[in-house]
Amino acid sequence: MKASIDFSQTSFNSKSIPDELTREASVLFNVNGALEIKSAFPSSLIRELKKEFQQQYLGDHFTRLKRHSSTVGDKRFLTAVQMSGSFNSPKVYAASKVLPVLRTLLGNDCVLHAFGAITALPGATMQHLHSDHPRLFGEADGLETFFPPYAIHMSIPLIDLDETTGTTAMWEGSHRKKQDN
């Protein structure tokens, strides 16, 4: 991915990231429509979240996952994650390295609308190509290419994404192109 920024040199204890990094991240997102932020969360927090998710949803041979989720593809599930335990922490939903970028892009009064997880079980086929958000102006397709984002979908992988586990594809620049049906 071309649109990538590394926050590893900034502290998780500081209240925010330097203004120049926030601006650089915002410009990269606006130009590319996607942004990878490296070192946005401490690895210890990711381990906590993974452990808690596994305990809450992945026991009993995926029975709990299937019971608490919607099917969104072949062996692929969307789960509304309970805002409890490690998930109910500002370190997750208001991360010091991410929130300044989101506020720059969406405004200081941005709102967390949903909190969920996509889980692909072993052997799942590739997900179909899709947009995470509908076009804001519907029939007037292409109009939103002139406006800043109205919503942002953020993913926090709880596993390493590689050839074995699969990755999330992002189509840089697609937010500035007319959408085909």
Side-chain angles (χ1 to χ4, degrees), residues 30 43 58 60 69 81 89 105-108 116 127-128 130 133-134 143 150-151 171 175:
N30 276 325
S43 55
L58 298 183
D60 306 329
S69 305
V81 175
S89 169
L105 293 165
L106 297 170
N108 286 329
Q127 195 172 17
H128 67 281
H130 67 279
H133 303 286
L143 188 59
Y150 75 94
W171 301 92
H175 67 302

Side-chain angles (χ1 to χ4, degrees), residues 8-167:
S8 62
Q9 300 304 312
T10 61
S11 169
F12 289 106
N13 298 325
S14 66
K15 292 290 182 198
S16 66
I17 58 174
D19 288 343
E20 65 271 7
L21 279 178
T22 301
R23 280 191 298 276
E24 182 181 352
S26 300
V27 166
L28 283 169
F29 184 88
N30 276 325
V31 168
N32 295 285
L35 176 66
E36 174 188 29
I37 301 177
K38 296 179 182 178
S39 302
F41 298 91
S43 55
S44 58
L45 176 62
I46 299 298
R47 285 191 299 272
E48 283 177 42
L49 295 172
K50 179 180 179 179
K51 181 180 177 184
E52 188 159 332
F53 186 81
Q54 288 173 329
Q55 289 172 344
Q56 284 186 30
Y57 302 103
L58 298 183
D60 306 329
H61 300 287
F62 306 111
T63 303
R64 281 183 272 170
L65 176 72
K66 293 173 183 176
R67 185 175 47 230
H68 296 286
S69 305
S70 301
T71 302
V72 292
D74 172 56
K75 300 179 187 173
R76 193 176 308 275
F77 301 91
L78 171 61
T79 308
V81 175
Q82 294 289 336
M83 295 291 287
S84 61
S86 298
F87 289 100
N88 189 23
S89 169
K91 292 178 181 177
V92 177
Y93 60 78
S96 63
K97 293 186 178 187
V98 178
L99 190 57
V101 177
L102 293 174
R103 284 184 168 155
T104 300
L105 293 165
L106 297 170
N108 286 329
D109 57 350
C110 59
V111 174
L112 173 63
H113 172 72
F115 199 80
I118 298 286
T119 305
L121 300 182
T125 58
M126 279 185 57
Q127 195 172 17
H128 67 281
L129 246 134
H130 67 279
S131 176
D132 285 334
H133 303 286
R135 293 289 189 174
L136 183 59
F137 299 106
E139 295 296 318
D141 194 24
L143 188 59
E144 53 273 299
T145 63
F146 299 103
F147 297 101
Y150 75 94
I152 294 176
H153 184 103
M154 185 173 84
S155 299
I156 306 170
L158 301 182
I159 61 170
D160 291 335
L161 300 179
D162 55 29
E163 293 82 26
T164 303
T165 62
T167 61

